[in-house]
Amino acid sequence: MKPLLLVSLSAAALCVSACGKKAEPVENTAATSAAEPAAPAPAVLSPGQAFANTAAASDAFEIETSKLAASKAQSAKIKSFAEQMIKAHTDSTAKLKTAAAAATPAIAPDAALTPAQQQELADLQTKSGAEFDRAYARLQADGHQKTLDALKAYAASGDVAPLEAFASELVPIVTAHLNMAKGL
């Protein structure tokens, strides 16, 4: 029932937003249309798909920043934490894929980093020494807090039972990671 309601509300919102808009003049040049194909409209994601994508991107971000820290960090404590995060988030990704596959219909998590995560990773790559260590520790604390918030919210009111169970299972693990990151 929820998916049907969500689709109906989305369709109604699109119809309402289109009302009253004037048609824009369109240039009719073959070169423009061939060189610049129209961008597809962004897909409306179900809450389960959106959560799975958020969780997958979070894992990918933690793994990538931690791989960087494992090789660039100055502090042995940071390097050790990074190695733990690589393993933990690789395990989390496997659990997420299992939970998403158990959904009906199955969900395929998209691990593409958000533009903000891409920028943070790029910024981190430019740092070295103690500055790198501080930036990595800050990113880990911020990232784990955001992930913890998303997990708690989905565990409380998610729409896909296997993903709700996954979120509930990960809350104490991510809480521990957040506390560790704050101690770096």
Side-chain angles (χ1 to χ4, degrees):
M1 182 66 180
K2 283 183 183 178
L4 181 58
L5 178 62
L6 208 80
V7 170
S8 298
L9 289 173
S10 297
L14 287 173
C15 290
V16 168
S17 69
C19 290
K21 289 190 176 179
K22 295 181 182 176
E24 297 288 327
V26 177
E27 290 183 29
N28 189 9
T29 61
T32 301
S33 62
E36 299 176 30
V44 176
L45 300 179
S46 70
Q49 182 69 60
F51 170 75
N53 291 357
T54 297
S58 174
D59 279 342
F61 180 73
E62 297 300 338
I63 291 168
E64 289 307 310
T65 56
S66 294
K67 284 180 179 177
L68 194 57
S71 66
K72 283 185 78 169
Q74 184 176 0
S75 161
K77 187 175 181 180
I78 295 280
K79 286 184 181 226
S80 175
F81 177 82
E83 291 295 339
Q84 291 175 14
M85 292 305 99
I86 293 167
K87 181 180 180 337
H89 287 281
T90 300
D91 292 347
S92 173
T93 297
K95 289 178 184 179
L96 173 62
K97 287 179 180 177
T98 299
T104 305
I107 292 174
D110 181 358
L113 298 181
T114 67
Q117 289 170 324
Q118 291 171 3
Q119 184 61 52
E120 289 172 334
L121 179 59
D123 289 346
L124 186 62
Q125 290 170 333
T126 67
K127 300 187 182 332
S128 61
E131 181 185 24
F132 176 91
D133 290 2
R134 283 189 302 276
Y136 173 75
R138 181 188 48 77
L139 284 176
Q140 290 300 304
D142 292 349
H144 281 92
Q145 183 63 62
K146 289 174 187 171
T147 299
L148 182 59
D149 294 344
L151 290 169
K152 285 180 175 180
Y154 199 83
S157 62
D159 64 336
V160 178
L163 291 177
E164 281 181 307
F166 163 80
S168 294
E169 178 185 346
L170 267 286
V171 165
I173 295 168
V174 173
T175 300
H177 291 175
L178 174 59
N179 291 333
M180 290 167 53
K182 286 179 177 179
L184 294 174

